[in-house]
Structures are given as structure tokens and as C-alpha cells.
Amino acid sequence: MNTLAAPVGQPLARVDGPLKVTGQARYAAEFDTPGLLHGVVVCSSIARGQVLRIDTREAEALDGVVLVLTHENRPPVASYDKPYQDDDAADGSPFRPLFNDRVLYNGQPLALVVAETRELARHAASQVRIEYRQEPHQTDLLAVSEQAHEAPEPPPEPRGDFAGAFAVAPVRVECEYQTPVEHHNPMETHASTVFYQPDGELLVHDKTQGVQNCQRYLEKVFGMQGRIRVLAPFVGGAFGSGLRPQYQLPLAVMAALKLHRSVRVELTRQQMFTFGYRPRTLQRLSLGADRDGRLQALAHQAIGQTSSFEDFTEHEVDWSGMLYACDNVQLGYRLASLDVYTPLDMRAPGAAIGVFALECAMDELAYAAGVDPLELRLRNYSELNGNQGKRYSSKELRACYSQGAERFGWSRRPAAPRSLRDGDQLIGMGMATGVWEALQMPASARACIDADGRLQVSSATADIGTGTYTAMTQIAAAALGLPMERVDFRLGDSSLPQAPLEGGSATVSSVGSAVHQACLALRQKLLDAAQQSPASPFTGAGIDDVAFSNGSMRLKRPPYSAVELERIVEVSGALDAEVRVEPGEQRKNWATGTHSAVFVEVRVDEALGTVKVSRVVSAVAAGRVVNPKTAGNQIVGGVVWGIGQALHEETLIDHRLGRYMNHNLAEYHLPVNADIPEIDVIFVEEHDSVVNDLGSKGVGEIGIVGVAAAVANAIYHATGKRVRELPITLDKLL
């Protein structure tokens, strides 16, 4: 039974677009209430040690300052003796703001100044004096890499005999790669506005990718089960920074509970560098192949940084065991503990950096074997996920290679580096493969149709700028045969039906499946209601005997009767259905994934070493694409970030101070319009009946995966110089 038709698959504009461009969309720091107080965080200036004294007298003497909150006067916190881990927590003991006098990293929140205005709070915060006893610290991954320990989530077990196969392989490459710390830097800074209610309950507006995660976290931390509601109707970008509750949230709640007042805490741009980030890594690849370039042995070892109090684990090396056919594979992943905050998932966590190293190493192997880089990947193509030993439910990666190469003009690429030139510009072409998981999480949704024939659909998911509002509206409209303008989708409210964190490119597959099923359940209720009259032409009809279109339900067989949905509801009253959908049993027998092929052209100034990306083609196989317009925007955004990862982004730390030095948008380099060419996105046709009812796979992460490698490989083709440390800046090329 085909229950999804137009508008699914149509490149429709965002339903929330008018609210955003007219300024009517409100974000966490834009909700007000009479008497709202403002909190500003005071952060540590040392990387490790003990707070001896916090002098708050000057700040408290200022007229309009209501409170200076420290570890000495904070209200009791239920979970501080037994730390509560949120849905996205790493192994270990999660950070607890204002817990005690210990300083664990530079930038740690040590006080919260609460005042009548934000300007006054910022000024008062500058008057807080803190005395420390400093202790030796370490923030350099290279200095402690030998002391790295095994990660709590180890990679897949070795298969075959890597050492033996590598020793006899006629073509071998061994390479080391480094990736730096990167920070998320969404446009909307993190903020929490806590409305203290007369009955002591809390209404919280938070910048988050999971309102129910924040709700559970606050209820556990403060022992307030059933007394907190969290809202996040709009989120101004997150990229993973909103998966965990950030420290401004518990601080705002502490102040609200202590003062019995409403409080807002908004982080500054500099303070956006005082929590999670993409971790710095060291990676070593060893590839052995026969003379035709077919892999005989593969080893991928990685060391990532983590904090002293949590072990943050990413899947950095797993991709090397699943992407290509190889019988002898050895993967290793260790963590180095530093006096820094815990890293955090960032767009395509693990894959963005792990696939960078793998795909650069594959390019090096191609040159060593004398095989075209695209041909090398085709020779090592596999229909199996090697880690799982399972066949993919669908994998149109070959089509990505062929369609992307044709659109890009890969066949016109000369094999030898430094073969193409335009005046002083060296021209290079590079490519890489991308891969991501096709995830689905348990999710619930509710669908209700009223007497006006309007469909209300809801789930406690988020829209972090990805187009969730629009995609869910399309799915619901298609399932009930309604025009888009008669469907309203609600999200970002912890009181709505359960939804997972919006992350991992799983929202359409998870929440979209729940929305679809809720609407199917509502279809059945509409049919049941229409059959209540003895004279109804629908008597005896089953759900497969009717079709929903143009706001009506009609029989597919004679007498082909039709009735408008609002007419049914006028008689029966409002109808609703709520369902919970979990990943299907059929998924267990298959590997699932999203794949892509990225082709990049660069121009390198031979004298100056400057790099300009001049063309990009990204061909993506992501199952059924609900909205090619918003999905295409996601791929474009991922490619832009991949270019930034390759050429621009790096958070620089002064290891003497343990402090990030470029913690602003002036010195933290991001690509701008002038850095980005036209980006050509191809969605390869791919059908998958296993992943979920929609046949949909996520696109939020896949857009960035492989892009940095394709840029690096293109730079090598242009210059003949291999740079294995990101970002590739002109000093490294010169």
C-alpha cells in the first residue's frame, strides 16, 4: 500500500521560513517575563588547581546586583552526590558546575552574577576577584600520547592476520595524520531562560537539540520530577553543541530556585569555547595492497583527547573496517586525558576526522600502486559492512561514483601531479568517499484532525535549522491527502510525545516514521467513523479500499463515493491517534548506511601557497529524500564545513596557560562566501524497504564526510605536496 505521495519528494520551501525572515521566530534568549533577572558567568583563568577565595564584595555592592552565586552559597543539588548522566553523556563523572573548589579546566564556570540587567551583570562579573592555588596542567595531546589508555567503547575486533598480510603486500603505505580541535560556533549562542512559576514549577526556554533530555536532566539533578517543562521551538544552529545540557542551564535553574525569580543566563561568544568541541586526534594508517591496488591489509590506529573526568568516545576508526573489501584489518582507538573540558559530538562525529585519514591514505595508495584514485575505490568496493559481515540494505555508492565523476569531468583529469596550470595557479582534482550510519531511534507522534479539517501533528523533536518542521508537515500531508497549508506540526516542547535527540541524521527516519504511522492510524479512525451510519457507502470497506486525497476520503471501487474529512469530523468530533515506532526487526539482518562521493577542484597560487576551492560535486545516496530542497541545503552546508575543516578551522591553545587563544569569530577562521564556489549536489536514486517505512536515510552528517580528504587530495594533485595535518594553511604548503 503506497501511503505517501505528493508532497513527499517535492523541493518545497520551509514552512517556518516566513517566521524566521520576519523576526517572529523566537529563540531561547528572546522570551521575556516581568521581573526577569540576568545572569553572567565568571569563568576560571587557570587550567588546574583550587579556588582559595572568591571575593564578591565589589560586585555585590553595585546597585541592581541581586546575587553572586558560587560553590559556597549555591542551593542544594539533589544529584551532586550521585552525578546524573544525560542522554548524550560520556563515560565517567559528568561535570557539575559550582560543585566544589576544584578547577578542572581553563574557562570552568566558578560564579554566576545575577542582576537587573545583562549589562550590569556583565560589569559586575568583571569585579569578581578569584584567588587560586595553581597546579601543573597538561593540555597537549602530543605530550601525553604515549600514556593514552584504551577507550571504553573499543573498535571492532581484528579480523584475519594484518601483520602477516602487510609484511608480504607488494604495495604499502604508512601515513600519520593530525586533526585539530574545532568548536561548533552556531549563530545562536547557548542560553537558558527560566520562568519561575508561582507554584514553584519551572518553565524553561533552552537552546537544545532535545527538550526531553534537558527535562530529565533537570528533574534528576534538582529532584523536581514532574515540575519542569522545557521549550525550544526554534534553534539557531547547533551541530551537536545542543546534544548535552550545557552549564548555563543548571546555573540558571540554581539562581531561579535560590531567588524564587525568573532568570536568564546567556553565554558570550567567548564562553562558547568553554565546553564541548571536536577533539584533536593523531591517526596512523597502514595499507597493504597487491600490484593492482586491491587491499590485502589495513590498520587504522587513532588517539583522541578527552577530559580528566570523562572518557569521550567517537567511532573514528570503525569506518576503515566497513567501507572497503579487506580480509585483514586491525583497528585501535585510545584516549589521552588532559586538563580540558570533555569533547562533544560535532557534525558527523568520528566520521568527519576518521574518514579524512582513511580517504587520504587511499589516495596515497592509489599513487603508490599507479591506479586512478576512483578506479582504486571501485576495485575495493564491497557490498558488505566488513565490521558486521552483513550486506547493506541498499548501497548505491557505485552510482554516486559514476554520476559524480561524469558531472565533475573526472575522466579529463591527468594522472600526474602538477600537470594542470592556469598562469600562476596550479590546478588539482581530488575525490573521496563518504559514509554515515542510517540510524533510526524509537519515537512517538500524535495526529489530530479537527472539525475545520485541519491536521495537528506533534512530537517533542527539534528543528536545529535542518527543516524538520517542513519535512514532518510534508509526511503528514501526504499520508492524509491534505494540502500543506492545512497541516500544523508542533515540536520543541517536552510535554509532547517522546522523541530522541535531534542528532545523528536520524530525525526524519525516527520521528518521520512515527508521524507517518500516527497519520495511518488516524486514517483508520476516519474510516471507522465514516462507517458508523448504516447508509454509509463505506460500510464494509477496508483501509486498502479507500484513498485520501484533496482533503477527502474516497472509495477506489464503485460507487467511488467521496467525503470531505471535515464532514466526518463534524459528526464524530475531533479524532486523534498517537503511536510509538521502534526500528523494525528486519534491520537486524542488514547493515544500513548512507554513502557519497565527493569531487573537488582546487587552485593553488604557486608563489603564495593560497588555496581556492573552485568546484565541488557531491553525489549522495540517502534513500528516499523527503524534501530535496532542504536536504540539498544540508549537503551544501556540510560541504562548506568540510572546506572549512580542510583549509580554515582550528582552535588554537596556549599550552602554557591551557587557554584557547582565538575564542572569537574574528580569529577562529571560518569560510565565507568568497571562499566557496558553486556546490553541485546530486541525489542518487536509492530504494530501501528495510531502513524504515519511509525508505529514508539522514543527510545532516553525510555532507561533510569525505570533503576535507577530497580537498587535501586535490591539493596534492595540484602541487605534488602531501599535507597530512589539518587545516592545510599556506605555511604548510610553502
Side-chain angles (χ1 to χ4, degrees), residues 486-505:
R486 284 174 59 182
V487 180
D488 300 308
F489 183 71
R490 289 184 59 209
L491 54 70
D493 183 339
S494 61
S495 68
L496 297 178
Q498 177 271 330
L501 292 167
E502 176 156 291
S505 298

Side-chain angles (χ1 to χ4, degrees), residues 27-28 36 46 67 120 171 263 299 310 325 339 353 377 439 504 547 555 609 628 643 677-678 725 731:
Y27 297 83
L36 179 69
I46 67 169
L67 172 69
L120 176 59
V171 182
V263 178
E310 287 180 303
D339 296 309
I353 48 185
R377 287 163 174 82
L439 299 169
L555 281 171
I643 293 171
E678 285 296 316
E725 180 183 356
D731 55 306

Side-chain angles (χ1 to χ4, degrees), residues 143 204 552:
V204 180
S552 297

Side-chain angles (χ1 to χ4, degrees), residues 137-149 280 282 303-306 334-339:
H137 67 267
Q138 182 56 263
T139 56
D140 188 355
L141 176 64
L142 296 180
V144 296
S145 60
E146 295 300 320
Q147 289 82 54
H149 59 276
R280 185 182 184 187
L282 308 174
I303 300 174
Q305 75 176 52
T306 190
R334 295 182 294 148
L335 298 174
S337 299
L338 299 172
D339 296 309

Side-chain angles (χ1 to χ4, degrees), residues 33 35-39 64 66 114-118 255 259 261-265:
T33 190
L36 179 69
L37 299 173
H38 299 263
V66 179
V114 182
E116 299 290 347
T117 67
R118 187 164 186 244
L259 296 170
R261 297 274 302 273
S262 296
V263 178
R264 173 183 298 148
V265 179

Side-chain angles (χ1 to χ4, degrees), residues 120-141:
L120 176 59
R122 290 190 69 169
H123 172 64
S126 70
Q127 305 303 305
V128 175
R129 314 297 178 201
I130 304 178
E131 297 177 16
Y132 306 95
R133 184 178 71 237
Q134 292 196 55
E135 298 172 5
H137 67 267
Q138 182 56 263
T139 56
D140 188 355
L141 176 64

Side-chain angles (χ1 to χ4, degrees), residues 283-332:
Q283 301 182 65
R284 181 177 182 84
L285 271 293
S286 302
L287 306 182
D290 64 18
R291 298 190 189 282
D292 293 326
R294 291 182 175 84
L295 284 167
Q296 296 180 334
L298 185 155
H300 189 171
Q301 308 290 327
I303 300 174
Q305 75 176 52
T306 190
S307 68
S308 62
F309 46 91
E310 287 180 303
D311 278 343
F312 174 78
T313 303
E314 286 188 317
H315 297 289
E316 290 177 13
V317 301
D318 299 32
W319 318 99
S320 294
M322 72 172 67
L323 192 49
Y324 298 111
C326 186
D327 294 330
N328 303 287
V329 175
Q330 182 174 296
L331 308 175

